Amino acid sequence: MVAAGAALADERGLAGLTMGALAERVGVRTPSLYKHVSGQDDLNRRIAALALNEAADAVGHAVQGIAGRDALAAAARAFRAFVLAHPGRYAATIGVEPSGPEDPLAVAAERLLGGFMAALRGYAIAGPDVDHALRVLRSLCHGFATLEGGNGFRWNTDVEESFEWLITFADRGLRALGGTPPE
């Protein structure tokens, strides 16, 4: 049920995902959905947890065995690719709050952060600054991918070239912050 809802959200946008539309998609009457989810909010939360786990898998696999700029670039590219391929399910992750540390949302979010943390390990960033570095990195990747997905880059400059600039910008900033020499 959740996978079908996630696919529908990707096709129609999160706002286009309704219990009625999902029931039609899976070939049941709307009341039958309530055997699987308690309502729209529950469905959206489950889609958000699914999306965070899928993004965590993508980023985690991308950074395995590499470090420094290579890991940063791999994490950024994997995250961007996920957001562009799954805009509806990714939208479900924005603004949803876990109910506690055992909430599947919290567990999945920690997994995703773990992939980005792995990318940051090569930068020698001091403990208190790691949270800030993670927020900046997530903001850069999120902002770029969501703008790109929403056709927010309408000028003639190549988007891939701009994304490489983003990676270089982040790499230089993280190196400066951590005192890591340039490659």
Side-chain angles (χ1 to χ4, degrees), residues 11-12 14 17 26 32 39 42 51 64 86 91 99 105 114 127 140 144 158 170-171 181:
E11 292 168 21
R12 296 185 179 184
L14 187 61
L17 173 64
V26 297
S32 298
D42 183 35
Q64 283 183 342
H86 303 290
S99 60
L105 282 169
L140 287 171
F144 195 98
D158 181 44
D171 177 62

Side-chain angles (χ1 to χ4, degrees), residues 55-82:
D57 289 344
V59 171
H61 285 99
V63 300
Q64 283 183 342
I66 55 178
R69 187 186 194 287
D70 291 340
L72 172 70
R77 288 184 187 115
F79 186 79
R80 174 185 175 212
F82 178 81

Side-chain angles (χ1 to χ4, degrees), residues 107-134:
V107 173
E110 282 298 315
R111 288 189 60 237
L112 179 56
L113 286 179
F116 281 109
M117 283 290 296
L120 291 178
R121 284 192 192 105
Y123 288 99
I125 298 170
D129 290 333
V130 171
D131 285 345
H132 301 302
L134 279 169

Side-chain angles (χ1 to χ4, degrees), residues 1 19 26 35 38 40 48 69 72 84 87 106 114 118 147 157 162 176 178:
M1 197 65 54
M19 298 295 279
V26 297
K35 295 176 186 173
S38 64
Q40 187 73 48
R69 187 186 194 287
L72 172 70
L84 293 176
L147 283 169
T157 305
S162 295

Side-chain angles (χ1 to χ4, degrees), residues 131-168:
D131 285 345
H132 301 302
L134 279 169
R135 286 179 180 150
V136 167
L137 184 56
R138 169 109 192 273
S139 297
L140 287 171
C141 294
H142 164 82
F144 195 98
T146 54
L147 283 169
E148 181 180 6
N151 297 316
F153 299 130
R154 295 188 179 163
W155 47 91
N156 293 332
T157 305
D158 181 44
V159 174
E160 293 302 322
E161 186 178 338
S162 295
F163 194 70
E164 289 305 313
W165 269 67
L166 177 140
I167 292 168
T168 299

